[in-house]
Amino acid sequence: MRHRTFRGSAVLAVVVLMTSATIALADTIPADGDFALVGNQKTITLPQAAPGQVVVRSVRFYLTCNSSSHPAPGTTIQLDQGAVSAPTGGAVSATSATIGPVPAGWPTGGACQDPLQTLASNSPSDVTMTMPTTPGTYTFDVMWNRSTTAGLTGTTAISFNVKVVGNAPPQMSVPSDMSVEATGPTGASATFTATATDPEDGTLPTPTCTPASGSTFPIAQTTVTCTATDGGGLSASGSFHVTVEDTTAPALVLPADQTAEATSGAGASVSFTTSATDVVDGPLSVNCDHASGDTFPVGTTTVACSATDTAGNPTTGSFHVTVQDTTAPLLVLPLDKTAEATGAAGASVLFATAASDVVDGLMSVNCDHASGDTFPLGTTTVACSTTDTAGNPTTGSFHVTVQDTTAPTLVGMPANLTRTTANGSGTTLTYAAPTATDAVDPAPTIGCTPASGSTIPLGTTTVTCTATDAAGNPASASFTAAVTYVPPSTIWTATWGEPVASSGDTFVGNFGRTIPIKVSIFVNGVEQRSGHGASLAVVACGGGTPVVTGLDWDGGRWAGHLDTGRLAGPGCYLATASLDGHDAGFIEIDLRGASSSAKTNANHAH
């Protein structure tokens, strides 16, 4: 396992309580601390570490007003490393810290204020611990000596417990050999899952496979090799085979059974089209025992066809060609026709008919309505007939439907409207309603929603007007009415849940870590639970281009995650929460240098 430097900060601080101005201060620990040894104000359990790893832990101290005797304003308390204890093969050291000077407002006599006043150390004390090279559970003890001109002397001790563990390579698990059917000439996509476990890493190693899952594999056997590497640099590999096969026969497309009219005693020439496609080979040629365009005799003939792909997968099929002799002439009538009414009487409709016979050639057609007649609204059946010289009759009909499907035309639609109001409920909308014209109906009905005179809310309201003729054809058009509320003043504020408690606070962390963001945004004291463009903009304290992270409403607050790896590097940054284009509050972020592979929390306490 690689040696890494792990940097963090004590979650709670050691508090120094003043008892009198002439005696040493008594040391206590907060209510959620662990008392382990006499004179020990805190026992801290560190995350497990590697042999030889360097771990840095930051500790902050506080002076808390207590009793009725107090240090004089201007007093400074110096905290320097005293006696330390490290396990064999390890080492420990701590930097100095100061509290003060005591501010002028600190009580000089009498009882302390409620709540008790506190004064934080000017900077934390960094405790650097080098782990032994042998796995095991160890304790590092550090004592700080306090000194001051006012006799506020004493000691403060902290014990750090840590477990040192070794490293083992990850365990790789790969799928069994698999076969897939080709889906195209390039092969087929194969999806699989390889996993790995590691006893030391908190996060499982992610295997890398070549080729990757979801890749297109050629028609053949391919070896897939997967490798996973743990946080200590140890690797494990495994492999399996993906075989892509072509066992799918081509798709043969043949015509439906065909019937042809005899053109002579020999029968009739019949044309047809065949095709075949294969998922791997694409289009293939088709072999049939009768060619398209051959003359088929009167009766039914079976046409047999086949196609084979390059993998040797065959497909066969057949269809029938029937040649018959009928004597009726051929009557050619138009398809059912639909015309749009041009007036209340209907519409004039043109059409063409024809008839032919294999013996007589072209023939005349008789219909009960002539081309160009005016047809009324509705459906009219046009009956036609023809008879050849042999007396074989042919009859047929088609329909002429005259309909009114043309919607009325709206005339005089209002343009889009804009209004402002100081009424939070909205405003009254007034406008001139449009008129309508129609080719058939002289007086279409017209209605608009919402109607003129209605009260509409703040924002944009769409007004839709519809004209409907007697045939039920509607025509609609819309315009918008935008109502803007103009308040006397608007104040945007924010309260923070993470990573700090108040706007303007400073969060200290390592560059490269992901920071959770939780913030509530208010307008004139009213919490905003919806809006557009909720975001956190982070810019260097000296200025520059901001890095923007979107925020989402999680049901209680606006939340998101800031990836500090997107920033320029360690240093000072300002993070501003915004909603609807308005800045609501900011915090300061102090990013320290990142470690080689581990990241921890480091926060200023306020």
Side-chain angles (χ1 to χ4, degrees):
M1 181 177 290
R2 295 171 291 178
H3 291 179
R4 299 172 288 181
T5 299
F6 184 83
R7 187 177 183 88
S9 67
V11 175
L12 57 91
V14 176
V15 180
V16 182
L17 297 179
M18 186 191 74
T19 58
S20 74
T22 59
I23 63 175
L25 298 181
D27 294 298
T28 64
I29 57 173
D32 57 351
D34 297 322
F35 190 84
L37 301 172
V38 176
N40 184 298
Q41 277 67 51
K42 178 66 182 173
T43 297
I44 298 174
T45 299
L46 301 174
Q48 70 178 24
Q53 179 178 342
V54 176
V55 176
V56 180
R57 189 76 174 189
S58 295
V59 180
R60 183 175 289 276
F61 302 89
Y62 287 84
L63 172 66
T64 299
C65 182
N66 193 23
S67 184
S68 60
S69 297
H70 314 287
T75 301
T76 298
I77 300 172
Q78 178 74 28
L79 296 102
D80 297 312
Q81 176 186 316
V84 297
S85 174
T88 302
V92 62
S93 63
T95 60
S96 299
T98 60
I99 301 177
V102 174
W106 197 271
T108 58
C112 297
Q113 299 177 1
D114 186 13
L116 298 178
Q117 295 167 279
T118 61
L119 180 62
S121 60
N122 298 311
S123 62
S125 174
D126 290 337
V127 181
T128 302
M129 291 161 280
T130 301
M131 301 296 111
T133 57
T134 303
T137 301
Y138 299 98
T139 299
F140 294 81
D141 297 314
V142 180
M143 184 173 292
W144 285 264
N145 296 325
R146 301 194 302 272
S147 61
T148 175
T149 59
L152 303 179
T153 60
T155 60
T156 297
I158 299 179
S159 294
F160 299 89
N161 294 332
V162 63
K163 184 178 181 180
V164 177
V165 297
N167 188 27
Q171 300 295 316
M172 172 66 67
S173 176
V174 297
S176 301
D177 290 349
M178 57 192 302
S179 296
V180 294
E181 184 68 18
T183 58
T186 59
S189 173
T191 302
F192 51 82
T193 300
T195 60
T197 60
D198 188 84
E200 292 83 28
D201 288 3
T203 301
L204 294 179
T206 300
T208 300
C209 297
T210 304
S213 176
S215 299
T216 297
F217 288 76
I219 301 174
Q221 184 183 85
T222 301
T223 299
V224 180
T225 301
C226 300
T227 303
T229 304
D230 64 12
L234 298 182
S235 299
S237 299
S239 64
F240 62 98
H241 297 105
V242 174
T243 302
V244 179
E245 303 173 322
D246 176 13
T247 62
T248 302
L252 183 61
V253 180
L254 301 179
D257 289 346
Q258 299 200 32
T259 299
E261 183 69 16
T263 57
S264 67
S269 173
V270 178
S271 298
F272 54 84
T273 301
T274 62
S275 65
T277 59
D278 186 75
V279 294
V280 174
D281 298 332
L284 297 173
S285 60
V286 180
N287 296 317
C288 298
D289 56 6
H290 290 77
S292 176
D294 282 355
T295 297
F296 287 78
V298 175
T300 299
T301 301
T302 299
V303 180
C305 302
S306 65
T308 303
D309 64 15
T310 55
N313 301 305
T315 297
T316 61
S318 63
F319 63 98
H320 300 99
V321 173
T322 299
V323 177
Q324 60 186 11
D325 181 12
T326 60
T327 57
L330 175 63
L331 181 61
V332 180
L333 302 180
L335 298 175
D336 290 345
K337 302 179 70 68
T338 300
E340 186 69 16
T342 57
S348 174
V349 179
L350 298 173
F351 57 87
T353 61
S356 63
D357 186 79
V358 293
V359 176
D360 297 334
L362 297 177
M363 302 176 64
S364 62
V365 179
N366 297 315
C367 297
D368 57 5
H369 289 78
S371 175
D373 283 354
T374 297
F375 289 77
L377 285 167
T379 299
T380 301
T381 300
V382 180
C384 301
S385 63
T386 186
T387 303
D388 64 14
T389 56
N392 298 303
T394 298
T395 61
S397 64
F398 62 96
H399 299 99
V400 174
T401 300
V402 178
Q403 59 185 12
D404 177 11
T405 62
T406 302
T409 300
L410 284 164
V411 180
M413 278 295 295
N416 291 338
L417 305 176
T418 58
R419 299 288 187 269
T420 59
T421 180
N423 185 350
S425 299
T427 189
T428 300
L429 174 67
T430 60
Y431 57 88
T435 61
T437 60
D438 187 76
V440 177
D441 185 357
T445 60
I446 302 173
C448 296
T449 303
S452 179
S454 301
T455 298
I456 59 175
L458 299 179
T460 300
T461 298
T462 300
V463 180
T464 301
C465 296
T466 302
T468 306
D469 62 15
N473 299 306
S476 297
S478 300
F479 65 94
T480 60
V483 180
T484 303
Y485 173 69
V486 182
S489 63
T490 301
I491 299 176
W492 292 77
T493 58
T495 61
W496 299 81
E498 283 190 84
V500 297
S502 303
S503 287
D505 282 357
T506 300
F507 172 81
V508 179
N510 287 336
F511 171 71
R513 66 165 292 185
T514 297
I515 303 174
I517 303 298
K518 292 185 179 179
V519 61
S520 299
I521 298 178
F522 301 82
V523 176
N524 292 336
V526 178
E527 184 175 9
Q528 304 299 296
R529 300 185 177 184
S530 62
H532 302 285
S535 64
L536 184 77
V538 182
V539 66
C541 292
T545 302
V547 174
V548 180
T549 298
L551 302 177
D552 297 313
W553 181 256
D554 66 0
R557 285 173 293 192
W558 294 99
H561 291 83
L562 171 62
D563 180 6
T564 62
R566 298 172 55 199
L567 303 177
C572 173
Y573 294 85
L574 292 179
T576 303
S578 301
L579 180 65
D580 293 333
H582 300 279
D583 293 341
F586 74 95
I587 62 173
E588 184 175 324
I589 298 177
D590 185 6
L591 294 181
R592 305 295 174 83
S595 65
S596 61
S597 62
K599 301 178 183 177
T600 61
N601 295 331
N603 299 294
H604 277 193
H606 292 268

